[in-house]
Amino acid sequence: MNKFFKHSLFTCCAIIALSACSTVSNPEESLAVATWNIEHLAENNGQGCKARNEADYEKLKEYASNLKADVVALQEVESAKAVARVFPEEEWQIIISDRPDSQTYTCRESGLTSTQQKIAFAVRNSLRIDRIEQLKAIAVPRPGLRQGIKLTVQHADEKFHIVNLHLKSGCFVDDYLDSDRESCAVLAQQVKVLDDYLESQQLNQENWIVLGDFNHRLANPNNRFRKDLSHSPGLFADTSLPNKQLQNLTDGKTGCHPKYPAPIDHIFISSALSNQYNHESLKFHYFDNMNIDDMLSDHCALSARFSF
């Protein structure tokens, strides 16, 4: 399945922000990662399905700073310029999906025209990015689907492979194969692409973090998608090792949304990274105002920390 992915070496033009390195917010021996669906983040005030004003962007910027993260996987952003309004270029490197712009639509509530829904990374300038890969095959099942991005970063003499995903919405059932919904049929194809890709990697030997908005309740131990990602016969050459690819850090956790407590944002880690995971660190970062109509986004950020 690797042949369907476009592998591109890191180049200067792939990074939007190349300012002087800032001081990282965490001790050198730890790495904090986060995922955040920032809900239709637009370049300009008053645009898109989550139209915001200047004060809203300032609140988002303050919230982002308080995450104390080194790497933030973002979903639903219009552009690198939109991301830079929340993650300033003097502190962050911004990497965005190269997916072609999709067709816009009329937002249900506001009647405004939608902006693009792409994924992106914000990475502190103090981290070295070795490689950027646009995971185009995640979008192959249907035109307009969101691509993935994989980063390889260096930190504390360790190499990390970090995959950012925003999968098909609308298939909120425990067994995506036992449904006639079109969204579930599309998701099933995405799961197959993702599973094949991960099976081809050295998850028992390398540090992998797979995170993002999966649009699926993967903290449920009976969820088929979860089982497909976590178990795969033949992955390990050493049969004495447990037959488990990935650990879902949101197991047993409750999401922040008042109306939808089962999380759909998740962080998976490889078995090679499990000993470095700080089990007390996983956190949904609540907004100051958690009234549904006043939330800064319809998703809270989720973060985890790894120590070395």
Side-chain angles (χ1 to χ4, degrees):
M1 187 57 66
N2 280 345
K3 66 182 179 180
F4 294 110
F5 290 87
K6 179 181 179 181
H7 296 270
S8 55
L9 291 175
F10 166 71
T11 59
C12 291
C13 62
I15 301 298
I16 305 301
L18 291 173
S19 305
C21 290
S22 61
T23 302
V24 69
S25 59
N26 304 308
E28 183 179 351
E29 66 274 8
S30 69
L31 179 77
V33 300
T35 179
W36 184 18
N37 183 327
I38 201 167
E39 192 184 3
H40 295 279
L41 184 68
E43 285 187 21
N44 300 310
N45 294 355
Q47 292 188 357
C49 295
K50 179 73 172 178
R52 295 175 167 102
N53 57 33
E54 195 67 31
D56 294 326
Y57 283 93
E58 288 301 315
K59 290 177 183 178
L60 289 172
K61 185 177 177 181
E62 181 181 7
Y63 176 86
S65 177
N66 289 334
L67 297 179
K68 305 299 181 185
D70 302 298
V71 179
V72 184
L74 297 163
Q75 300 87 41
E76 293 193 16
V77 303
E78 179 183 9
S79 63
K81 289 182 179 179
V83 175
R85 295 195 66 176
V86 180
F87 295 86
E89 294 177 335
E90 62 268 19
E91 300 177 25
W92 299 89
Q93 305 168 76
I94 299 170
I95 301 92
I96 192 162
S97 170
D98 66 359
R99 184 193 76 169
D101 287 353
S102 57
Q103 186 175 355
T104 60
Y105 56 89
T106 300
C107 308
R108 285 195 302 267
E109 295 183 3
S110 66
L112 296 171
T113 300
S114 67
T115 51
Q116 295 300 310
Q117 284 194 29
K118 299 185 179 185
I119 67 170
F121 274 108
V123 181
R124 287 198 180 271
N125 286 333
S126 51
L127 290 181
R128 190 181 88 194
I129 301 174
D130 285 347
R131 190 178 181 92
I132 300 170
E133 300 175 30
Q134 301 283 344
L135 305 185
K136 297 180 181 295
I138 293 293
V140 165
R142 198 182 75 178
L145 291 177
R146 293 163 288 245
Q147 296 175 184
I149 304 177
K150 176 200 164 190
L151 294 186
T152 301
V153 301
Q154 291 278 354
H155 176 69
D157 296 325
E158 294 277 349
K159 182 178 291 187
F160 297 86
H161 305 288
I162 308 175
V163 176
N164 179 5
L165 299 168
H166 188 185
L167 300 183
K168 182 72 179 77
S169 183
C171 184
F172 298 105
V173 296
D174 288 332
D175 188 343
Y176 63 91
L177 294 181
D178 190 26
S179 173
D180 58 1
R181 298 179 185 177
E182 180 186 2
S183 58
C184 290
V186 173
L187 181 65
Q189 295 178 72
Q190 290 187 307
V191 173
K192 181 64 166 60
V193 171
L194 178 61
D195 193 42
D196 285 349
Y197 175 66
L198 293 174
E199 280 191 30
S200 71
Q201 309 303 321
Q202 300 297 319
L203 299 184
N204 59 332
Q205 300 174 19
E206 298 177 338
N207 298 322
W208 280 75
I209 302 171
V210 182
L211 75 174
D213 180 358
F214 289 76
N215 271 313
H216 215 61
R217 302 184 182 104
L218 299 179
N220 181 349
N222 296 316
N223 186 278
R224 176 183 285 273
F225 184 174
R226 167 209 175 92
K227 292 179 179 179
D228 287 344
L229 286 186
S230 299
H231 300 273
S232 181
L235 176 68
F236 299 110
D238 182 355
T239 56
S240 67
L241 291 170
N243 187 28
K244 186 171 185 179
Q245 292 191 57
L246 297 167
Q247 174 188 356
N248 186 6
L249 303 188
T250 58
D251 283 359
K253 304 298 182 181
T254 301
C256 82
H257 198 286
K259 192 175 179 180
Y260 307 108
I264 59 175
D265 304 284
H266 303 282
I267 301 175
F268 286 84
I269 62 172
S270 63
S271 56
L273 192 54
S274 59
N275 289 336
Q276 281 70 47
Y277 167 52
N278 183 337
H279 292 266
E280 303 300 320
S281 69
L282 190 79
K283 178 181 180 181
F284 281 98
H285 296 260
Y286 284 69
F287 303 119
D288 289 340
N289 189 339
M290 289 300 297
N291 293 324
I292 293 177
D293 293 338
D294 299 317
M295 293 169 63
L296 296 180
S297 167
D298 56 358
H299 293 247
C300 296
L302 171 68
S303 70
R305 185 178 297 276
F306 303 88
S307 300
F308 304 92

